[in-house]
C-alpha cells in the first residue's frame, strides 16, 4: 500500500483495500520483533555477564579498552532493540488500522448485497426502483449515489429523496468512502514513519542518532495511540495495573516496552524488573531528546541523566546492592526514582523523599542517590534483604535565593507530592512478593511535609509500617497519632544545630522576617527563636521532635554550628544520611527500616 500521497487524492480503491493481506504486515512485524529481542538478549549478556566479569577480574590498559568496546557494543545493541521494536509496532499498528477499515468496508458491502444494491469500482452505489409515486402509483426510479468521505463537512441540502432505497444507498456509499479515506490516510502516515526509521551508517551510535531515535519514538507513539496507548490503565489502581500487565501476551509486553518505555516504566504496580528495563531504555531516549534542545533546563537535566546512566552502566561495587531505575522523566523539575535492592523481593522496603531545592540535577544524581545507597548498605548488614529507594516523584519547592530558606514553601507541593507518593507506595506494596513486607516512609526536610501529607490520606500511607522524619520543619499535623501508623511507629531525628528544625511558626514569622531582611538565615533563626519563646511550634505545625508531638526521637549528631569559624553553615541539615559524618543517624534509621526499632539509640524530645 505504501507510496501513495494519502488522503482523498490517493489511488486506493475499496477493492484494493479489501484485498490487503494484513497477516503479511503482521508477519513482517514479527520478524522485526525477533531481531529486536535478539539485540536485547545480546545487550543483556554484554552488560550482565561480560562487562562485570571483565571489570572484576582484569586490570590494565587492554582490559579497560575491552570494557569501552563492550560498552559501545552494548549501546549499539540497545539502539537496534529500540529501532527494531519501533518497526514492529509501526507495522502492527498499520495492520490494526487497516483491519478496522476492512471491517467497516465489509459491513457496508454486506448491507449492499442484502439490499441488492450494486457497489461500483469508484465506490458509488446504484439502488433499484422502490416505493410508489403519489400521482401514478408506479415504483419510483432508482439511481446512483456517491459517497462523502467526511459527511460532517458537507452541509445538508434539506431535501429527502422519495425512493426509500436512496437513503440506504447513500449511507452505504458514505461508509465505503470513509473506510477508503481512513485507510489511505493511515497508509500515508505510516509510510512516512517507516521511511524515517533508518540508522546512520557506521558502527557507532552517536548522540545525534539517539536524538533521532527520540523523534522516531514520538512519531510511532502518536501513530500507535489507538493500537497501544489508549489501553494502558493510567486511571486504574496499582493492583489493577499489575493484573493488566500479567494478562498481556509476551508480544504485547515487548511492544509496550519498545514503544512506551516512559509510560510502562513509571506505572505503579508494574514489576520492578520491568520498570527498570523500560526506564533504562527511556533514559537513552530522554538524553537524546534533551540533546536536541539548547536551554539551561535541558542542560541541567541532561547532566543528571548522564550521571545516572554512568552509574547504571558501571554497576554496583562489591558489597553494594544492585540498582533498579523505577522512574525517570523530564516533566516539571524532573523525575527520578532509584532503588538500591529489588523492592519486589526485599523483605524490607524503605522510600526516602528529599525536600527543598531537590530537582533532577547533578546534586540529586550524586548526593540524594548516595543517601539511599548508603542507607541500603547499612540496613542490609542488620537484617533481611532490604531495598532503599530515593523517590523524586514530585516537584519539590525551589528556594529563590538558594540559601535553604523555607519561607517560600507552602503546603501545595507537599499535598500534590503526597498523592503521588501514596500511589507509589501502593505500587510497591502490591508488587512485593512477600506476604507482609515491612515498609518505611522517610521524609527529609520539606520531604517530611510531603510524607506527612501522604499519611493524612484515608488509611495512611499504603503498606507503611514505620514513618521517619529527619531535618523536619513540620509535617502538617500536630500529633504523631494523626499519621496512620500509631505514634510508636513514628520516629524523628533532629540535629541540635539544624536550623530547619527550628524555623519559627507562621505566627512568629513576622518577627523572624525582620531578621531575614537584615541578616539572612542566621539572623532569621535567632530572631525566630526569640519570638518562639520556647514553645514547640515550627513552620508546618508542631515540632516533630517535641514531646507534645509524641514521636520517638532517635539520636543523631549535632552537626556543625550555624555560625562557626567566621562563616555561615547549614550543613547540619544535610548530614543525617552520611555514615562517615553521622553514623548514629544512619544506624538508627537502618534499624528502623529492618524492623529492629527496639535497638535504636533514643534521644529525649525537645
Amino acid at each position: 500500500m505504501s507510496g501513495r500521497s494519502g488522503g482523498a487524492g490517493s489511488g486506493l480503491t475499496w477493492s484494493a483495500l479489501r484485498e490487503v493481506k494484513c497477516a503479511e504486515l503482521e508477519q513482517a512485524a514479527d520478524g522485526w520483533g525477533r531481531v529486536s529481542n535478539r539485540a536485547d538478549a545480546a545487550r543483556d549478556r554484554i552488560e550482565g555477564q561480560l562487562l562485570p566479569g571483565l571489570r572484576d577480574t582484569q586490570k590494565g590498559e587492554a582490559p579497560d579498552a575491552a570494557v569501552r568496546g563492550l560498552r559501545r557494543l552494548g549501546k549499539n545493541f540497545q539502539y537496534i532493540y529500540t529501532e527494531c521494536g519501533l518497526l514492529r509496532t509501526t507495522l502492527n499498528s498499520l495492520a490494526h488500522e487497516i483491519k478496522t477499515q476492512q471491517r467497516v468496508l465489509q459491513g457496508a458491502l454486506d448491507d449492499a448485497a442484502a439490499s441488492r444494491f450494486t457497489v461500483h469500482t469508484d465506490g458509488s452505489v446504484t439502488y433499484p426502483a422502490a416505493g410508489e409515486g403519489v400521482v401514478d402509483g408506479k415504483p419510483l426510479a432508482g439511481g446512483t449515489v456517491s459517497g462523502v468521505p467526511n459527511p460532517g463537512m458537507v452541509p445538508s441540502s434539506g431535501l429527502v429523496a422519495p425512493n426509500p432505497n436512496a437513503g440506504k444507498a447513500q449511507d452505504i456509499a458514505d461508509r465505503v468512502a470513509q473506510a477508503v479515506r481512513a485507510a489511505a490516510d493511515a497508509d500515508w502516515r505510516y509510510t512516512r514513519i517507516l521511511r524515517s526509521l533508518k540508522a546512520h551508517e557506521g558502527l557507532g551510535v552517536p548522540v545525534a542518532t539517539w536524538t533521532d531515535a527520540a523523534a522516531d519514538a514520538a512519531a510511532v507513539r502518536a501513530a500507535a495511540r489507538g493500537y497501544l496507548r489508549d489501553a494502558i490503565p493510567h486511571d486504574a489502581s496499582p493492583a489493577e495495573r499489575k493484573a493488566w500487565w500479567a494478562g498481556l501476551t509476551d508480544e504485547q509486553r515487548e511492544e509496550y516496552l519498545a514503544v512506551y518505555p516512559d509510560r510502562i516504566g513509571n506505572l505503579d504496580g508494574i514489576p520492578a524488573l520491568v520498570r527498570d528495563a523500560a526506564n533504562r531504555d527511556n533514559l537513552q531516549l530522554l538524553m537524546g531528546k534533551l540533546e536536541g534542545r539548547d536551554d539551561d533546563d535541558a542542560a541541567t537535566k541532561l547532566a543528571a541523566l548522564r550521571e545516572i546512566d554512568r552509574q547504571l552502566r558501571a554497576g554496583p561495587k562489591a558489597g553494594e546492592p544492585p540498582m533498579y531505575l523505577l522512574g525517570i522523566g523530564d516533566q516539571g523539575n524532573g523525575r527520578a526514582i532509584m532503588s538500591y535492592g529489588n523492592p519486589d523481593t526485599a523483605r524490607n522496603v524503605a522510600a526516602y523523599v528529599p525536600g527543598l531545592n531537590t530537582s533532577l540535577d547533578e546534586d540529586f544524581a550524586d548526593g540524594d542517590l548516595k543517601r539511599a545507597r548508603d542507607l541500603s548498605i547499612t540496613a542490609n548488614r542488620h537484617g533481611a534483604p532490604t531495598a532503599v529507594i530515593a523517590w523524586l516523584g514530585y516537584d519539590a519547592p525551589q528556594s529563590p535565593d538558594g540559601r535553604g530558606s523555607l519561607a517560600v514553601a507552602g503546603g501545595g507541593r507537599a499535598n500534590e507530592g503526597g498523592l503521588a507518593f501514596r500511589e507509589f507506595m501502593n505500587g510497591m506494596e502490591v508488587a512485593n512478593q512477600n506476604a507482609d513486607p515491612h515498609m518505611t516512609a522517610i521524609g527529609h526536610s520539606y520531604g517530611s511535609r510531603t510524607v506527612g501529607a501522604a499519611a493524612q490520606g484515608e488509611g495512611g500511607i499504603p503498606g507503611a509500617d514505620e514513618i521517619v522524619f529527619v531535618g523536619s520543619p513540620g509535617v502538617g499535623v500536630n500529633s504523631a497519632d494523626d499519621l496512620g501508623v500509631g505514634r510508636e511507629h513514628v520516629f524523628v531525628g533532629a540535629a541540635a544545630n539544624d536550623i530547619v528544625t527550628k524555623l519559627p511558626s507562621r505566627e512568629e514569622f513576622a518577627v523572624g522576617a525582620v531578621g531575614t531582611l537584615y541578616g539572612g538565615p542566621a539572623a532569621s533563626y535567632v530572631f525566630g527563636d526569640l519570638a518562639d519563646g520556647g514553645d514547640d511550634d515550627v513552620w508546618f505545625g508542631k515540632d516533630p521532635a517535641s514531646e507534645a508531638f509524641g514521636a520517638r526521637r532517635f539520636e543523631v549528631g549535632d552537626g556543625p554550628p550555624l555560625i562557626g569559624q567566621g562563616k555561615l553553615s547549614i550543613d547540619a541539615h544535610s548530614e543525617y544520611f552520611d555514615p562517615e559524618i553521622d553514623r548514629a543517624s544512619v544506624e538508627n534509621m537502618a534499624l528502623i527500616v529492618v524492623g529492629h526499632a527496639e535497638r535504636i539509640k533514643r534521644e529525649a524530645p525537645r
Side-chain angles (χ1 to χ4, degrees):
M1 292 179 61
S2 61
R4 300 182 176 87
S5 60
S10 77
L12 184 65
T13 64
W14 66 261
S15 58
L17 171 59
R18 185 177 59 180
E19 300 305 318
V20 173
K21 294 179 173 57
C22 290
E24 293 181 357
L25 291 173
E26 292 168 334
Q27 288 171 4
D30 290 343
W32 286 111
R34 287 191 293 273
V35 176
S36 179
N37 291 340
R38 288 169 184 166
D40 192 35
R43 178 190 59 173
D44 285 346
R45 184 164 181 265
I46 289 170
E47 296 182 353
Q49 299 176 28
L50 299 181
L51 273 174
L54 192 57
R55 282 197 309 259
D56 296 342
T57 61
Q58 304 293 323
K59 302 296 180 184
E61 292 185 9
D64 289 346
V67 166
R68 290 192 296 271
L70 283 172
R71 283 179 176 163
R72 186 180 72 171
L73 184 59
K75 275 203 167 187
N76 289 356
F77 278 124
Q78 185 169 16
Y79 177 73
I80 293 170
Y81 159 78
T82 298
E83 289 290 297
C84 291
L86 293 176
L87 280 164
R88 170 182 54 194
T89 297
T90 300
L91 292 169
N92 274 335
S93 187
L94 172 59
H96 172 77
E97 290 200 31
I98 295 299
K99 284 195 290 187
T100 297
Q101 299 312 319
Q102 285 178 327
R103 287 193 293 270
V104 172
L105 172 65
Q106 192 58 52
L109 295 177
D110 290 344
D111 287 347
S115 297
R116 296 186 179 181
F117 296 170
T118 301
V119 181
H120 302 287
T121 303
D122 64 356
S124 61
V125 178
T126 296
Y127 56 92
E132 57 182 38
V134 175
V135 177
D136 57 11
K138 294 180 179 179
L140 298 169
T144 300
V145 294
S146 296
V148 179
N150 298 299
M153 302 293 291
V154 179
S156 173
S157 65
L159 300 175
V160 178
N163 187 325
N165 284 330
K168 297 177 184 178
Q170 186 65 61
D171 174 68
I172 290 169
D174 287 348
R175 286 151 60 193
V176 170
Q178 290 161 27
V180 171
R181 171 61 182 267
D185 284 347
D187 181 32
W188 177 72
R189 283 185 287 109
Y190 285 100
T191 295
R192 294 180 64 194
I193 293 171
L194 288 169
R195 286 174 177 167
S196 72
L197 294 175
K198 296 185 297 185
H200 294 287
E201 294 184 3
L203 296 176
V205 182
V207 169
T209 302
W210 278 111
T211 301
D212 289 343
D216 291 342
V220 175
R221 288 169 188 166
R225 176 174 179 173
Y227 173 58
L228 287 179
R229 196 191 78 176
D230 291 350
I232 300 175
H234 293 292
D235 296 331
S237 69
E240 290 168 335
R241 294 168 183 163
K242 178 183 178 182
W244 169 77
W245 184 259
L248 296 176
T249 65
D250 288 343
E251 182 179 359
Q252 288 173 323
R253 292 175 187 167
E254 290 165 5
E255 286 202 78
Y256 276 113
L257 286 172
V259 181
Y260 289 107
D262 56 330
R263 296 177 182 272
I264 300 303
N266 292 283
L267 201 61
D268 295 319
I270 299 297
L273 288 173
V274 175
R275 294 179 69 165
D276 178 64
N279 286 316
R280 289 183 188 233
D281 290 332
N282 189 42
L283 178 58
Q284 303 305 314
L285 296 175
L286 278 175
M287 289 192 292
K289 172 186 173 183
L290 295 176
E291 284 279 3
R293 288 170 44 186
D294 184 20
D295 58 83
D296 291 342
D297 179 66
T300 297
K301 292 172 179 173
L302 182 58
L305 295 178
R306 285 173 175 164
E307 173 57 21
I308 292 172
D309 183 56
R310 185 199 66 77
Q311 292 181 28
L312 289 168
R313 292 188 180 279
K317 298 178 182 177
E320 294 183 354
M323 295 174 284
Y324 298 86
L325 188 59
L326 303 181
I328 199 73
D330 64 342
Q331 64 267 42
N333 293 331
R335 302 286 187 270
I337 306 172
M338 181 77 81
S339 179
Y340 293 89
N342 187 336
D344 290 356
T345 59
R347 174 67 181 82
N348 306 299
V349 179
Y352 146 63
V353 181
L356 187 73
N357 288 329
T358 307
S359 62
L360 186 58
D361 56 18
E362 285 188 282
D363 286 341
F364 173 83
D366 288 330
D368 290 279
L369 294 188
K370 181 179 183 300
R371 290 176 176 180
R373 181 173 63 246
D374 287 343
L375 182 57
S376 177
I377 292 171
T378 304
N380 276 288
R381 293 172 183 161
H382 284 293
T386 300
V388 178
I389 300 163
W391 186 83
L392 181 58
Y394 78 122
D395 283 331
Q398 306 294 301
S399 173
D401 60 10
R403 294 180 295 175
S405 169
L406 280 179
V408 298
R413 297 287 182 87
N415 293 332
E416 293 173 6
L419 292 174
F421 187 64
R422 283 176 58 84
E423 185 164 294
F424 173 78
M425 291 293 280
N426 191 4
M428 292 296 98
E429 179 187 25
V430 301
N432 191 279
Q433 298 168 15
N434 292 278
D436 185 23
H438 182 255
M439 300 179 66
T440 304
I442 303 173
H444 172 245
S445 187
Y446 188 87
S448 67
R449 177 68 179 85
T450 302
V451 171
Q456 293 174 57
E458 184 178 356
I461 299 173
D465 300 286
E466 325 286 350
I467 294 177
V468 178
F469 302 123
V470 287
S472 176
V475 301
V477 298
N478 291 324
S479 172
D481 293 325
D482 297 328
L483 295 171
V485 293
R487 65 170 49 202
E488 69 277 9
H489 294 285
V490 180
F491 303 85
V492 60
N497 293 318
D498 184 352
I499 180 178
V500 175
T501 69
K502 298 182 179 181
L503 286 173
S505 66
R506 295 172 186 268
E507 291 75 14
E508 298 158 343
F509 181 66
V511 176
V514 176
T516 300
L517 288 173
Y518 290 98
S524 175
Y525 167 70
V526 173
F527 279 97
D529 191 52
L530 291 174
D532 188 278
D535 71 8
D536 45 24
D537 293 324
V538 287
W539 185 256
F540 288 117
K542 196 69 66 180
D543 178 5
S546 69
E547 184 173 8
F549 188 82
R552 299 167 70 181
R553 188 180 181 190
F554 57 88
E555 181 182 305
V556 300
D558 290 343
L562 184 65
I563 302 175
Q565 298 181 345
K567 63 180 181 179
L568 174 69
S569 171
I570 58 172
D571 288 349
H573 182 59
S574 57
E575 295 179 349
Y576 296 99
F577 295 87
D578 193 325
E580 295 184 3
I581 297 176
D582 195 346
R583 169 58 64 177
S585 175
V586 176
E587 289 285 347
N588 282 326
M589 283 193 286
L591 288 169
I592 295 166
V593 166
V594 300
H596 291 308
E598 74 282 355
R599 292 164 51 189
I600 65 172
K601 294 181 179 180
R602 299 286 297 274
E603 187 170 352
R606 289 173 176 168

